[in-house]
Amino acid sequence: MVFDEFHILRVNLTSGKARVEELREEDARLFLGGKSLGTLLVYREVPPGTEPPIKVQ
């Protein structure tokens, strides 16, 4: 299977708006799939020291 473009759908749950964003081909190939790609996005976008939205017990 050959892909020329890679995209993700970013959904704002507060506003209900969604938009399609391009994903770098390198990231798509290295982090193929749900957990690893999700982890990469969190690593890049959430500042260090950010508290989780809920407390885990």
Side-chain angles (χ1 to χ4, degrees):
M1 190 178 284
V2 177
F3 297 98
D4 293 331
E5 295 182 19
F6 300 91
H7 297 89
I8 59 172
L9 179 65
R10 186 173 299 266
V11 179
N12 183 324
L13 298 177
T14 302
S15 68
K17 295 182 180 180
R19 67 178 191 256
V20 176
E21 295 182 1
E22 287 188 35
L23 183 63
R24 294 183 345 188
E25 181 177 352
E26 178 183 359
D27 292 341
R29 294 192 187 282
L30 289 174
F31 299 97
L32 184 65
K35 287 184 182 179
S36 59
L37 184 56
T39 301
L40 174 68
L41 295 172
V42 168
Y43 175 77
R44 286 188 177 162
E45 297 182 13
V46 177
T50 301
E51 293 291 324
I54 59 172
K55 293 190 182 248
V56 179
Q57 296 183 13

